[in-house]
Amino acid sequence: MKIFCPNVSSILFVCLILTSCVHSKAQSCRPSGRIEGKKAPPGQCNQENDSDCCVQGKMYTTYQCSPSVSTYTKAYLTLNSFQKGGDGGGPSECDKQYHSDNTPVVALSTGWFNHESRCLKNITISANGKSVVAMVVDECDSTKGCDKDHDYQPPCPNNIVDASKAVWKALNVPKEQWGGLDITWSDA
Ligand SMILES: *[C@@H]1O[C@H](CO)[C@@H](O)[C@H](O)[C@H]1NC(C)=O
Ligand SMILES: CC(=O)N[C@H]1CO[C@H](CO)[C@@H](O)[C@@H]1O
């Protein structure tokens, strides 16, 4: 009878491979897949305030992860409506409610949303020499898009803080520039 008995060097080898995998996973966030754009049916995809609509046949990259969070996490700030009838689609995922765009609320890319772990928590957003505290109420889905649930908008990039206009106002950004800004954020 033969008993399986791995020698010490093979155990070491497996350990080495495992640690290097874990290590590289923590450091980088790679795409998880791609989806093909579908054109929105008539009347879908609310383009109020420059929301993107999926382009038929275009490929969009998806992500399950976001860059790792630090005290100055770099992100890209975008504009969203969290009100009923706004371009955010349905009610917010965290509390199934709509939110006034005059309150500082945000949606985070899937990796940062982290399975609702930041739901109804506050983050501090800094840019332009100012900072504002905003509550996380929704996910900006990096894993899916171009369907009815996402108002036929593309999947979110993995580094997005999608904010109500109250956030833009508090950061003192001139209205003509609302929609895209490099920022940093941290857990408040
Ligand atoms: C987040 O900030 C709001 C407004 O400043 C505050 O009312 C709320 O209690 C804060 N929530 C948490 C979880 O700290
Ligand atoms: C979410 C948001 O800011 N919506 C605005 C889009 O633009 C119209 C017209 O400028 C505003 O009235 C909305 O409030």
Side-chain angles (χ1 to χ4, degrees):
M1 198 213 276
K2 208 173 170 200
I3 296 170
F4 177 63
C5 178
N7 61 33
V8 175
S9 68
S10 70
I11 290 176
L12 266 174
F13 184 65
V14 169
C15 286
L16 243 153
I17 290 195
L18 280 177
T19 48
S20 72
C21 284
V22 168
H23 195 67
S24 65
K25 205 165 185 183
Q27 282 195 329
S28 63
C29 166
R30 289 175 207 288
S32 57
R34 300 201 309 161
I35 52 174
E36 191 177 339
K38 284 186 281 295
K39 194 167 182 289
Q44 309 274 338
C45 193
N46 182 347
Q47 275 187 288
E48 189 185 343
N49 316 99
D50 311 322
S51 289
D52 261 358
C53 296
C54 290
V55 174
Q56 179 78 40
K58 186 174 169 184
M59 298 306 292
Y60 295 92
T61 306
T62 58
Y63 292 90
Q64 305 274 356
C65 53
S66 292
S68 54
V69 174
S70 69
T71 40
Y72 299 98
T73 309
K74 284 188 186 154
Y76 193 64
L77 192 72
T78 53
L79 177 65
N80 189 26
S81 174
F82 297 81
Q83 297 184 166
K84 194 160 187 181
D87 61 5
S92 298
E93 197 166 318
C94 290
D95 55 5
K96 314 290 181 247
Q97 309 271 318
Y98 291 99
H99 294 268
S100 162
D101 290 328
N102 296 319
T103 58
V105 290
V106 298
L108 296 179
S109 294
T110 293
W112 289 338
F113 189 67
N114 193 17
H115 308 285
E116 301 199 358
S117 76
R118 287 197 166 83
C119 265
L120 308 184
K121 302 229 169 89
N122 287 328
I123 64 168
T124 305
I125 298 166
S126 303
N128 215 17
K130 303 249 172 203
S131 62
V132 55
V133 172
M135 198 194 287
V136 178
V137 296
D138 212 347
E139 175 177 10
C140 191
D141 199 336
S142 312
T143 69
K144 294 189 226 88
C146 306
D147 58 13
K148 190 165 183 286
D149 278 356
H150 301 85
D151 201 26
Y152 294 91
Q153 291 175 28
C156 201
N158 65 359
N159 65 337
I160 295 297
V161 175
D162 198 19
S164 64
K165 64 182 181 190
V167 170
W168 287 89
K169 214 176 255 179
L171 292 174
N172 217 6
V173 179
K175 207 162 183 181
E176 317 82 69
Q177 292 168 30
W178 288 8
L181 183 70
D182 290 319
I183 56 141
T184 61
W185 70 272
S186 61
D187 290 305

